[in-house]
Amino acid sequence: TAGNCSDTSDCVTMTSTNLENFSSLAIKLYPNPVSDNLIIQADKPIESVIIYDLIGTITQEEYTSSFSVEKLIPGIYLIEITANNQTISKRFVKQ
């Protein structure tokens, strides 16, 4: 045996990654909660925005940083924002 390994287990060397540095996107959503127009503030140009309801259905797709969500029914939504070939997910509330 070596280190914390025993003769009944396989030893695997693992390297950890600092998850804080995993995504370099700085994204802010406002206002949240929102009733009409949602604004995305990002340090990179927005490539795409996909909004999902809580069961995973795509409810809206956009390609800009400001758009109307007036047609969404009130509730909690997940928003997937892609910029600089990176994707980040956030949550917002539609009033």
Side-chain angles (χ1 to χ4, degrees), residues 27-32 34 38-41 46 48-54 57 59-62 64-69 72 76-82 87-93:
I27 302 281
K28 291 182 185 177
L29 295 178
Y30 62 92
N32 191 8
V34 60
L38 185 63
I39 300 167
I40 302 170
Q41 182 180 351
I46 300 294
S48 68
V49 176
I50 303 173
I51 298 174
Y52 299 89
D53 62 18
L54 289 182
T57 303
T59 58
Q60 192 169 331
E61 293 185 62
E62 300 291 338
T64 63
S65 60
S66 178
F67 49 88
S68 174
V69 292
L72 296 177
I76 299 171
Y77 291 86
L78 301 175
I79 185 166
E80 190 176 85
I81 303 159
T82 301
T87 301
I88 191 166
S89 295
K90 292 196 172 275
R91 185 172 47 177
F92 74 92
V93 177

